[in-house]
Amino acid sequence: MIKPIIIGNWKLNGTQQSIKNFLKLLKNFLIDYHKKCTVVISLPVLYSYLMQKLLFSKNKNFFLGAQNVDNHCSGSFTGDISPFMLKDIGIKYVIIGHSERRFNYKETDRMIANKFYLLKQENLIPVLCIGETKQEKVENNTINICKKQIDLIFDVCGIKAFNNSIIAYEPVWAIGSKISATPQEAQFIAGFIRQYIHSQTKNRIKNFFIQYGGSVTQYNAKNIIQQKDIDGFLLGRAALQIEEFIAIIKTINM
Ligand code: PGA
């Protein structure tokens, strides 16, 4: 198995104090685990400096992530943050296409593909979230949905798009629901994703990872990470509780 990559998506959560508490425990833990696992925290970007100051410089396998980015480089886009700005403050991984943004902010596949393109221009690592709704699952449409979400990235960014990037397979019905995909379901789709990306790129792809996300806990993490095509996790709630976060990293390394 390759070194797993675990990304915590804090969403709209966190305070200066909660970050200090979280890092107090994470800091010591990462000293032992830094060779076994790459850990990324995607916290609200305004707290990035604080996290950097408290932890970042001393840990080679710990990185900062963002939860979103604008699909423009600069200009009259009130409230937005550009890929260059993220890079400028030391962010390395950027989640795009999370279902909460697709549904709450009506982000389209094309907008997401434009974000992907701009991130690559800045040498940032896109973490592209894809996955089906409950209805689409019932209609047996998961593969088509995932394929469509991937295809627009190829259209906009070209055949090399997925070098140095991550696809997080996140079934929408599993996010925040306490019902994760089974290890077999996750593997089936992750296997499809890998095979599809390889077939499109004629196997000329480097540093491409597939994560699973959606109700991962310390109890199901081990069975899911053992699947052949799952290289790590995108965690929501589990990344807010330091004890749970650490327990997941420990179980997958046992
Ligand atoms: P969850 O969220 O782990 O709380 O289900 C996952 C996500 O939103 O990426």
Side-chain angles (χ1 to χ4, degrees), residues 48-49 52 56 62-66 83-93 124:
S48 302
Y49 272 126
Q52 247 167 348
F56 190 44
F62 176 80
F63 299 96
L64 285 172
F84 176 78
M85 290 169 183
L86 294 181
K87 179 163 128 181
D88 200 31
I89 61 164
I91 293 221
K92 184 160 179 197
Y93 294 81
L124 291 163

Side-chain angles (χ1 to χ4, degrees), residues 84-145:
F84 176 78
M85 290 169 183
L86 294 181
K87 179 163 128 181
D88 200 31
I89 61 164
I91 293 221
K92 184 160 179 197
Y93 294 81
V94 183
I95 299 169
I96 51 174
H98 192 284
S99 62
E100 287 156 13
R101 296 216 57 97
R102 290 179 190 266
F103 292 106
N104 298 341
Y105 301 95
K106 310 277 176 282
E107 290 193 4
T108 62
D109 286 336
R110 179 152 296 272
M111 282 164 78
I112 294 160
N114 288 342
K115 292 179 184 202
F116 196 108
Y117 179 82
L118 294 178
L119 291 175
K120 299 294 289 194
Q121 299 293 99
E122 297 296 345
N123 284 325
L124 291 163
I125 300 180
V127 182
L128 173 72
C129 300
I130 64 172
E132 81 288 3
T133 62
K134 180 89 195 165
Q135 181 66 22
E136 288 158 349
K137 178 178 163 61
V138 171
E139 289 164 359
N140 225 355
N141 231 345
T142 303
I143 297 276
N144 290 336
I145 295 296

Side-chain angles (χ1 to χ4, degrees), residues 11 98 170 174-176 214-215 234-237:
K11 308 191 181 181
H98 192 284
E170 296 211 303
I175 295 174
S215 295
L234 181 53
L235 305 172
R237 282 155 306 165

Side-chain angles (χ1 to χ4, degrees), residues 215-234:
S215 295
V216 175
T217 68
Q218 58 180 302
Y219 304 106
N220 58 19
K222 180 87 182 171
N223 286 338
I224 301 177
I225 202 74
Q226 280 173 338
Q227 305 303 311
K228 177 164 131 313
D229 289 298
I230 310 272
D231 306 320
F233 293 126
L234 181 53

